[in-house]
Short mmCIF file of all heavy atoms in Angstrom, two decimals:
data_model
loop_
_atom_site.label_atom_id
_atom_site.label_comp_id
_atom_site.label_asym_id
_atom_site.label_seq_id
_atom_site.Cartn_x
_atom_site.Cartn_y
_atom_site.Cartn_z
N GLU A 195 271.92 -110.74 -26.69
CA GLU A 195 273.15 -110.32 -26.09
C GLU A 195 273.27 -110.56 -24.62
O GLU A 195 274.13 -110.00 -23.96
CB GLU A 195 273.36 -108.78 -26.33
CG GLU A 195 273.62 -108.46 -27.80
CD GLU A 195 274.93 -109.14 -28.26
OE1 GLU A 195 275.98 -109.04 -27.53
OE2 GLU A 195 275.00 -109.61 -29.50
N ASP A 196 272.39 -111.39 -24.08
CA ASP A 196 272.55 -111.78 -22.68
C ASP A 196 273.70 -112.63 -22.48
O ASP A 196 274.13 -113.24 -23.42
CB ASP A 196 271.18 -112.40 -22.19
CG ASP A 196 270.96 -113.73 -22.97
OD1 ASP A 196 270.24 -113.57 -24.04
OD2 ASP A 196 271.39 -114.87 -22.61
N GLU A 197 274.27 -112.71 -21.35
CA GLU A 197 275.52 -113.50 -21.13
C GLU A 197 275.39 -114.94 -21.46
O GLU A 197 276.29 -115.59 -21.96
CB GLU A 197 275.95 -113.30 -19.70
CG GLU A 197 276.37 -111.92 -19.32
CD GLU A 197 277.67 -111.39 -20.26
OE1 GLU A 197 278.57 -112.29 -20.49
OE2 GLU A 197 277.53 -110.30 -20.84
N SER A 198 274.25 -115.64 -21.04
CA SER A 198 274.10 -117.04 -21.32
C SER A 198 274.15 -117.30 -22.86
O SER A 198 274.66 -118.29 -23.29
CB SER A 198 272.83 -117.55 -20.60
OG SER A 198 271.61 -117.02 -21.27
N THR A 199 273.51 -116.55 -23.63
CA THR A 199 273.44 -116.70 -25.04
C THR A 199 274.69 -116.43 -25.72
O THR A 199 275.33 -117.17 -26.58
CB THR A 199 272.23 -115.87 -25.79
OG1 THR A 199 271.15 -116.14 -25.08
CG2 THR A 199 272.20 -116.23 -27.18
N LYS A 200 275.42 -115.45 -25.22
CA LYS A 200 276.78 -115.17 -25.77
C LYS A 200 277.72 -116.29 -25.35
O LYS A 200 278.66 -116.55 -26.16
CB LYS A 200 277.35 -113.77 -25.13
CG LYS A 200 276.68 -112.52 -25.74
CD LYS A 200 277.38 -111.31 -25.48
CE LYS A 200 277.39 -110.92 -23.97
NZ LYS A 200 277.98 -109.60 -23.76
N ASN A 201 277.58 -116.86 -24.21
CA ASN A 201 278.34 -118.07 -23.84
C ASN A 201 278.11 -119.27 -24.71
O ASN A 201 279.02 -119.97 -25.06
CB ASN A 201 278.19 -118.37 -22.41
CG ASN A 201 278.98 -119.55 -21.95
OD1 ASN A 201 280.21 -119.42 -21.79
ND2 ASN A 201 278.44 -120.71 -21.63
N VAL A 202 276.84 -119.43 -25.20
CA VAL A 202 276.62 -120.51 -26.14
C VAL A 202 277.39 -120.34 -27.38
O VAL A 202 277.96 -121.22 -27.99
CB VAL A 202 275.05 -120.53 -26.41
CG1 VAL A 202 274.82 -121.44 -27.53
CG2 VAL A 202 274.36 -121.07 -25.18
N ARG A 203 277.40 -119.00 -27.86
CA ARG A 203 278.09 -118.78 -29.08
C ARG A 203 279.72 -119.04 -29.01
O ARG A 203 280.33 -119.64 -29.77
CB ARG A 203 277.82 -117.30 -29.63
CG ARG A 203 276.40 -117.08 -30.04
CD ARG A 203 276.24 -115.81 -30.90
NE ARG A 203 276.45 -114.64 -30.03
CZ ARG A 203 275.53 -113.97 -29.52
NH1 ARG A 203 274.22 -114.33 -29.55
NH2 ARG A 203 275.68 -112.85 -28.86
N LYS A 204 280.18 -118.58 -27.79
CA LYS A 204 281.57 -118.81 -27.57
C LYS A 204 281.89 -120.28 -27.41
O LYS A 204 282.92 -120.80 -28.04
CB LYS A 204 281.88 -118.19 -26.14
CG LYS A 204 283.44 -118.36 -25.76
CD LYS A 204 283.65 -117.68 -24.39
CE LYS A 204 284.99 -118.02 -23.82
NZ LYS A 204 285.16 -117.50 -22.45
N GLU A 205 280.97 -120.98 -26.82
CA GLU A 205 281.14 -122.51 -26.70
C GLU A 205 281.02 -123.20 -28.07
O GLU A 205 281.67 -124.33 -28.35
CB GLU A 205 280.24 -123.06 -25.67
CG GLU A 205 280.50 -122.73 -24.20
CD GLU A 205 281.61 -123.63 -23.65
OE1 GLU A 205 282.16 -124.46 -24.39
OE2 GLU A 205 281.98 -123.34 -22.51
N PHE A 206 280.15 -122.69 -28.83
CA PHE A 206 279.99 -123.19 -30.23
C PHE A 206 281.24 -123.04 -31.05
O PHE A 206 281.71 -124.04 -31.69
CB PHE A 206 278.95 -122.46 -31.00
CG PHE A 206 278.61 -122.92 -32.32
CD1 PHE A 206 278.18 -124.17 -32.72
CD2 PHE A 206 278.93 -122.10 -33.43
CE1 PHE A 206 278.03 -124.60 -34.03
CE2 PHE A 206 278.70 -122.39 -34.84
CZ PHE A 206 278.24 -123.70 -35.07
N VAL A 207 281.95 -121.96 -30.94
CA VAL A 207 283.18 -121.74 -31.78
C VAL A 207 284.25 -122.77 -31.19
O VAL A 207 284.87 -123.45 -32.07
CB VAL A 207 283.68 -120.24 -31.51
CG1 VAL A 207 285.10 -120.11 -32.06
CG2 VAL A 207 282.75 -119.31 -32.17
N ALA A 208 284.28 -122.86 -30.03
CA ALA A 208 285.23 -123.92 -29.35
C ALA A 208 284.99 -125.27 -29.84
O ALA A 208 285.88 -126.07 -30.05
CB ALA A 208 285.28 -123.68 -27.81
N HIS A 209 283.63 -125.58 -29.83
CA HIS A 209 283.28 -126.91 -30.18
C HIS A 209 283.61 -127.24 -31.62
O HIS A 209 284.09 -128.35 -31.92
CB HIS A 209 281.65 -127.07 -30.05
CG HIS A 209 280.98 -128.24 -30.66
ND1 HIS A 209 281.27 -129.50 -30.36
CD2 HIS A 209 280.07 -128.28 -31.68
CE1 HIS A 209 280.57 -130.28 -31.09
NE2 HIS A 209 279.86 -129.61 -32.01
N VAL A 210 283.32 -126.35 -32.56
CA VAL A 210 283.75 -126.56 -33.95
C VAL A 210 285.17 -126.70 -34.10
O VAL A 210 285.55 -127.66 -34.83
CB VAL A 210 283.13 -125.35 -34.83
CG1 VAL A 210 283.62 -125.46 -36.27
CG2 VAL A 210 281.62 -125.22 -34.83
N ASN A 211 285.95 -125.95 -33.37
CA ASN A 211 287.33 -126.01 -33.61
C ASN A 211 287.84 -127.40 -33.12
O ASN A 211 288.76 -127.99 -33.77
CB ASN A 211 288.08 -124.83 -32.74
CG ASN A 211 287.89 -123.47 -33.30
OD1 ASN A 211 287.54 -123.41 -34.51
ND2 ASN A 211 288.16 -122.44 -32.52
N LYS A 212 287.24 -127.84 -32.02
CA LYS A 212 287.74 -129.20 -31.45
C LYS A 212 287.34 -130.26 -32.44
O LYS A 212 288.13 -131.22 -32.69
CB LYS A 212 287.11 -129.47 -30.14
CG LYS A 212 287.68 -130.63 -29.52
CD LYS A 212 287.22 -130.71 -27.99
CE LYS A 212 287.92 -132.02 -27.35
NZ LYS A 212 287.53 -132.10 -25.81
N MET A 213 286.13 -130.26 -32.94
CA MET A 213 285.65 -131.26 -34.01
C MET A 213 286.56 -131.25 -35.19
O MET A 213 286.97 -132.32 -35.68
CB MET A 213 284.23 -131.05 -34.34
CG MET A 213 283.20 -131.17 -33.12
SD MET A 213 282.88 -132.89 -32.72
CE MET A 213 281.68 -133.43 -34.02
N PHE A 214 286.98 -130.11 -35.72
CA PHE A 214 287.83 -130.06 -36.87
C PHE A 214 289.17 -130.63 -36.52
O PHE A 214 289.83 -131.37 -37.34
CB PHE A 214 287.93 -128.59 -37.45
CG PHE A 214 286.93 -128.31 -38.40
CD1 PHE A 214 285.47 -128.45 -38.15
CD2 PHE A 214 287.20 -127.91 -39.65
CE1 PHE A 214 284.57 -128.05 -39.05
CE2 PHE A 214 286.28 -127.52 -40.70
CZ PHE A 214 284.91 -127.63 -40.32
N ALA A 215 289.77 -130.23 -35.36
CA ALA A 215 291.03 -130.76 -34.99
C ALA A 215 290.97 -132.30 -34.75
O ALA A 215 292.01 -133.00 -35.27
CB ALA A 215 291.49 -130.11 -33.66
N MET A 216 290.04 -132.87 -34.18
CA MET A 216 290.00 -134.28 -34.06
C MET A 216 289.87 -134.94 -35.31
O MET A 216 290.31 -136.14 -35.61
CB MET A 216 288.68 -134.67 -33.11
CG MET A 216 288.90 -134.29 -31.59
SD MET A 216 287.69 -134.83 -30.58
CE MET A 216 286.19 -134.19 -31.23
N ALA A 217 289.11 -134.44 -36.28
CA ALA A 217 288.97 -135.01 -37.68
C ALA A 217 290.21 -134.79 -38.54
O ALA A 217 290.35 -135.42 -39.55
CB ALA A 217 287.77 -134.34 -38.38
N GLY A 218 291.11 -133.95 -37.95
CA GLY A 218 292.38 -133.76 -38.88
C GLY A 218 292.18 -132.78 -39.96
O GLY A 218 293.00 -132.71 -40.95
N PHE A 219 291.10 -132.05 -39.94
CA PHE A 219 290.88 -131.09 -40.97
C PHE A 219 291.87 -129.84 -40.89
O PHE A 219 292.18 -129.33 -39.75
CB PHE A 219 289.39 -130.44 -40.97
CG PHE A 219 288.30 -131.59 -41.19
CD1 PHE A 219 287.08 -131.27 -40.83
CD2 PHE A 219 288.62 -132.75 -41.69
CE1 PHE A 219 286.15 -132.30 -41.05
CE2 PHE A 219 287.77 -133.73 -42.02
CZ PHE A 219 286.36 -133.54 -41.60
N PRO A 220 292.23 -129.25 -42.05
CA PRO A 220 293.36 -128.34 -41.93
C PRO A 220 292.78 -126.80 -41.71
O PRO A 220 293.66 -125.89 -41.49
CB PRO A 220 293.95 -128.40 -43.31
CG PRO A 220 292.90 -128.75 -44.24
CD PRO A 220 292.00 -129.74 -43.42
N GLU A 221 291.51 -126.53 -41.81
CA GLU A 221 290.98 -125.23 -41.74
C GLU A 221 291.39 -124.44 -40.43
O GLU A 221 291.42 -125.19 -39.36
CB GLU A 221 289.57 -125.19 -41.91
CG GLU A 221 288.99 -125.47 -43.23
CD GLU A 221 288.94 -126.95 -43.59
OE1 GLU A 221 289.31 -127.80 -42.74
OE2 GLU A 221 288.48 -127.29 -44.77
N LYS A 222 291.78 -123.21 -40.57
CA LYS A 222 292.15 -122.45 -39.39
C LYS A 222 290.98 -121.66 -38.87
O LYS A 222 290.23 -121.04 -39.61
CB LYS A 222 293.28 -121.47 -39.73
CG LYS A 222 294.62 -122.14 -40.10
CD LYS A 222 295.71 -121.15 -40.54
CE LYS A 222 296.97 -121.75 -40.80
NZ LYS A 222 298.04 -120.86 -41.07
N ASP A 223 290.73 -121.70 -37.56
CA ASP A 223 289.66 -121.07 -36.87
C ASP A 223 288.25 -121.25 -37.50
O ASP A 223 287.51 -120.27 -37.85
CB ASP A 223 289.93 -119.54 -36.82
CG ASP A 223 289.12 -118.86 -35.80
OD1 ASP A 223 288.49 -119.48 -34.89
OD2 ASP A 223 289.00 -117.66 -35.77
N PRO A 224 287.95 -122.55 -37.78
CA PRO A 224 286.68 -122.88 -38.45
C PRO A 224 285.42 -122.46 -37.67
O PRO A 224 284.49 -122.11 -38.22
CB PRO A 224 286.78 -124.42 -38.61
CG PRO A 224 287.63 -124.90 -37.48
CD PRO A 224 288.69 -123.77 -37.40
N GLY A 225 285.60 -122.47 -36.33
CA GLY A 225 284.45 -122.12 -35.50
C GLY A 225 283.98 -120.71 -35.71
O GLY A 225 282.79 -120.37 -35.97
N GLN A 226 284.97 -119.76 -35.80
CA GLN A 226 284.53 -118.33 -36.03
C GLN A 226 284.07 -118.15 -37.50
O GLN A 226 283.16 -117.34 -37.66
CB GLN A 226 285.67 -117.37 -35.82
CG GLN A 226 285.40 -115.94 -35.68
CD GLN A 226 284.37 -115.69 -34.58
OE1 GLN A 226 284.48 -116.05 -33.43
NE2 GLN A 226 283.23 -115.00 -35.02
N THR A 227 284.68 -118.87 -38.37
CA THR A 227 284.24 -118.71 -39.79
C THR A 227 282.83 -119.14 -39.87
O THR A 227 282.01 -118.52 -40.49
CB THR A 227 285.14 -119.65 -40.62
OG1 THR A 227 286.47 -119.15 -40.61
CG2 THR A 227 284.64 -119.59 -42.05
N ILE A 228 282.39 -120.38 -39.28
CA ILE A 228 281.02 -120.86 -39.36
C ILE A 228 280.08 -119.95 -38.61
O ILE A 228 278.89 -119.67 -39.12
CB ILE A 228 281.06 -122.26 -38.88
CG1 ILE A 228 281.84 -123.17 -39.90
CG2 ILE A 228 279.65 -122.80 -38.77
CD1 ILE A 228 282.03 -124.59 -39.36
N LEU A 229 280.46 -119.57 -37.40
CA LEU A 229 279.54 -118.67 -36.73
C LEU A 229 279.31 -117.34 -37.48
O LEU A 229 278.09 -117.01 -37.50
CB LEU A 229 280.26 -118.29 -35.33
CG LEU A 229 279.30 -117.38 -34.48
CD1 LEU A 229 277.92 -118.05 -34.13
CD2 LEU A 229 280.08 -116.93 -33.20
N ALA A 230 280.31 -116.76 -38.14
CA ALA A 230 280.14 -115.53 -38.99
C ALA A 230 279.13 -115.80 -40.05
O ALA A 230 278.19 -115.08 -40.29
CB ALA A 230 281.36 -115.04 -39.36
N PHE A 231 279.29 -116.93 -40.76
CA PHE A 231 278.39 -117.24 -41.89
C PHE A 231 277.02 -117.54 -41.44
O PHE A 231 276.01 -117.09 -42.02
CB PHE A 231 278.97 -118.51 -42.64
CG PHE A 231 278.02 -118.87 -43.64
CD1 PHE A 231 277.79 -118.26 -44.90
CD2 PHE A 231 277.37 -120.14 -43.56
CE1 PHE A 231 277.00 -118.59 -45.78
CE2 PHE A 231 276.46 -120.57 -44.50
CZ PHE A 231 276.22 -119.89 -45.70
N GLU A 232 276.87 -118.31 -40.33
CA GLU A 232 275.51 -118.60 -39.79
C GLU A 232 274.77 -117.40 -39.30
O GLU A 232 273.54 -117.27 -39.39
CB GLU A 232 275.58 -119.70 -38.81
CG GLU A 232 275.94 -121.14 -39.39
CD GLU A 232 275.79 -122.34 -38.49
OE1 GLU A 232 275.09 -122.03 -37.44
OE2 GLU A 232 276.24 -123.36 -38.73
N THR A 233 275.59 -116.46 -38.76
CA THR A 233 275.06 -115.29 -38.24
C THR A 233 274.45 -114.44 -39.39
O THR A 233 273.33 -113.88 -39.25
CB THR A 233 275.96 -114.41 -37.44
OG1 THR A 233 276.51 -115.24 -36.38
CG2 THR A 233 275.43 -113.21 -36.92
N ALA A 234 275.21 -114.32 -40.47
CA ALA A 234 274.67 -113.70 -41.59
C ALA A 234 273.47 -114.44 -42.22
O ALA A 234 272.55 -113.66 -42.62
CB ALA A 234 275.85 -113.50 -42.62
N LEU A 235 273.46 -115.67 -42.22
CA LEU A 235 272.27 -116.34 -42.74
C LEU A 235 271.11 -116.19 -41.83
O LEU A 235 269.99 -116.03 -42.24
CB LEU A 235 272.65 -117.84 -42.83
CG LEU A 235 271.72 -118.85 -43.58
CD1 LEU A 235 271.70 -118.43 -45.05
CD2 LEU A 235 272.19 -120.29 -43.40
N ALA A 236 271.35 -116.14 -40.51
CA ALA A 236 270.24 -115.96 -39.54
C ALA A 236 269.55 -114.75 -39.73
O ALA A 236 268.38 -114.63 -39.54
CB ALA A 236 270.77 -116.20 -38.14
N LYS A 237 270.31 -113.71 -40.00
CA LYS A 237 269.64 -112.40 -40.17
C LYS A 237 268.66 -112.26 -41.39
O LYS A 237 267.75 -111.41 -41.37
CB LYS A 237 270.81 -111.32 -40.37
CG LYS A 237 271.66 -110.99 -39.13
CD LYS A 237 272.76 -110.02 -39.35
CE LYS A 237 273.61 -109.85 -38.12
NZ LYS A 237 274.67 -108.82 -38.39
N LEU A 238 268.73 -113.25 -42.21
CA LEU A 238 267.89 -113.25 -43.39
C LEU A 238 266.73 -114.08 -43.23
O LEU A 238 265.73 -113.99 -43.96
CB LEU A 238 268.60 -113.76 -44.76
CG LEU A 238 270.04 -113.08 -45.01
CD1 LEU A 238 270.64 -113.81 -46.21
CD2 LEU A 238 269.82 -111.62 -45.36
N GLN A 239 266.65 -114.88 -42.15
CA GLN A 239 265.50 -115.86 -41.91
C GLN A 239 264.40 -115.28 -41.11
O GLN A 239 264.56 -114.36 -40.38
CB GLN A 239 266.10 -117.04 -41.19
CG GLN A 239 267.16 -117.81 -41.95
CD GLN A 239 267.35 -119.14 -41.38
OE1 GLN A 239 267.02 -119.50 -40.35
NE2 GLN A 239 268.17 -119.96 -42.13
N LEU A 240 263.17 -115.75 -41.38
CA LEU A 240 262.05 -115.44 -40.66
C LEU A 240 262.31 -115.96 -39.16
O LEU A 240 262.78 -116.96 -38.89
CB LEU A 240 260.86 -116.08 -41.21
CG LEU A 240 260.43 -115.67 -42.57
CD1 LEU A 240 259.15 -116.41 -43.03
CD2 LEU A 240 260.17 -114.06 -42.74
N THR A 241 261.67 -115.25 -38.26
CA THR A 241 261.74 -115.77 -36.77
C THR A 241 260.71 -116.96 -36.79
O THR A 241 259.79 -117.22 -37.58
CB THR A 241 261.29 -114.63 -35.84
OG1 THR A 241 259.86 -114.35 -36.14
CG2 THR A 241 262.03 -113.39 -36.01
N ASN A 242 260.81 -117.69 -35.58
CA ASN A 242 259.91 -118.81 -35.36
C ASN A 242 258.46 -118.27 -35.16
O ASN A 242 257.50 -119.06 -35.33
CB ASN A 242 260.43 -119.64 -34.18
CG ASN A 242 260.75 -118.78 -32.94
OD1 ASN A 242 260.25 -117.70 -32.82
ND2 ASN A 242 261.40 -119.46 -32.07
N VAL A 243 258.28 -116.98 -34.80
CA VAL A 243 256.99 -116.52 -34.67
C VAL A 243 256.41 -116.24 -36.10
O VAL A 243 255.31 -116.60 -36.42
CB VAL A 243 256.88 -115.25 -33.87
CG1 VAL A 243 255.47 -114.55 -33.91
CG2 VAL A 243 257.25 -115.52 -32.44
N GLN A 244 257.18 -115.57 -36.94
CA GLN A 244 256.83 -115.26 -38.37
C GLN A 244 256.52 -116.59 -39.12
O GLN A 244 255.55 -116.56 -39.94
CB GLN A 244 257.92 -114.46 -39.01
CG GLN A 244 258.01 -113.10 -38.61
CD GLN A 244 259.30 -112.37 -39.06
OE1 GLN A 244 260.28 -113.09 -39.21
NE2 GLN A 244 259.11 -111.16 -39.42
N LEU A 245 257.13 -117.65 -38.84
CA LEU A 245 256.93 -118.86 -39.50
C LEU A 245 255.51 -119.47 -39.12
O LEU A 245 255.05 -120.39 -39.86
CB LEU A 245 257.99 -119.93 -39.09
CG LEU A 245 259.38 -119.61 -39.68
CD1 LEU A 245 260.43 -120.56 -39.12
CD2 LEU A 245 259.42 -119.89 -41.20
N ARG A 246 254.92 -119.07 -38.16
CA ARG A 246 253.62 -119.46 -37.65
C ARG A 246 252.46 -119.01 -38.63
O ARG A 246 251.38 -119.60 -38.56
CB ARG A 246 253.32 -119.08 -36.23
CG ARG A 246 254.15 -119.87 -35.23
CD ARG A 246 253.65 -119.44 -33.80
NE ARG A 246 252.14 -119.69 -33.66
CZ ARG A 246 251.58 -120.87 -33.52
NH1 ARG A 246 252.47 -121.98 -33.40
NH2 ARG A 246 250.37 -120.96 -33.41
N ASP A 247 252.76 -118.05 -39.42
CA ASP A 247 251.62 -117.43 -40.22
C ASP A 247 251.55 -118.20 -41.65
O ASP A 247 252.38 -118.27 -42.46
CB ASP A 247 252.13 -116.00 -40.69
CG ASP A 247 250.88 -115.31 -41.34
OD1 ASP A 247 250.06 -116.00 -42.05
OD2 ASP A 247 250.78 -114.04 -41.08
N PRO A 248 250.43 -119.00 -41.64
CA PRO A 248 250.23 -120.07 -42.86
C PRO A 248 250.00 -119.22 -44.15
O PRO A 248 250.21 -119.77 -45.22
CB PRO A 248 249.13 -120.88 -42.52
CG PRO A 248 248.29 -120.10 -41.43
CD PRO A 248 249.31 -119.23 -40.67
N VAL A 249 249.54 -118.12 -44.06
CA VAL A 249 249.27 -117.25 -45.22
C VAL A 249 250.51 -116.71 -45.77
O VAL A 249 250.84 -116.74 -46.99
CB VAL A 249 248.17 -116.21 -45.03
CG1 VAL A 249 247.92 -115.32 -46.30
CG2 VAL A 249 246.79 -116.77 -44.59
N LYS A 250 251.19 -115.90 -44.95
CA LYS A 250 252.42 -115.24 -45.45
C LYS A 250 253.51 -116.27 -45.80
O LYS A 250 254.38 -115.97 -46.53
CB LYS A 250 253.03 -114.33 -44.24
CG LYS A 250 252.00 -113.23 -44.08
CD LYS A 250 252.57 -112.23 -43.11
CE LYS A 250 251.74 -110.95 -42.90
NZ LYS A 250 252.19 -110.02 -41.82
N THR A 251 253.43 -117.49 -45.24
CA THR A 251 254.50 -118.52 -45.66
C THR A 251 254.04 -119.41 -46.74
O THR A 251 254.69 -120.39 -47.01
CB THR A 251 254.90 -119.34 -44.43
OG1 THR A 251 253.79 -119.92 -43.80
CG2 THR A 251 255.60 -118.53 -43.39
#
Side-chain angles (χ1 to χ4, degrees):
E195 288 301 318
D196 59 275
E197 290 303 315
S198 61
T199 305
K200 287 195 290 186
N201 183 64
V202 167
R203 293 196 290 266
K204 178 183 175 182
E205 290 283 358
F206 175 68
V207 170
H209 166 63
V210 173
N211 289 344
K212 187 170 183 179
M213 292 289 278
F214 270 58
M216 291 189 300
F219 296 163
E221 287 81 1
K222 294 181 179 180
D223 201 11
Q226 192 58 51
T227 298
I228 292 170
L229 179 63
F231 173 72
E232 291 192 11
T233 300
L235 193 65
K237 290 179 180 179
L238 305 177
Q239 295 194 354
L240 297 178
T241 67
N242 49 16
V243 173
Q244 291 170 322
L245 288 171
R246 289 186 54 77
D247 189 326
V249 175
K250 291 183 179 179
T251 56

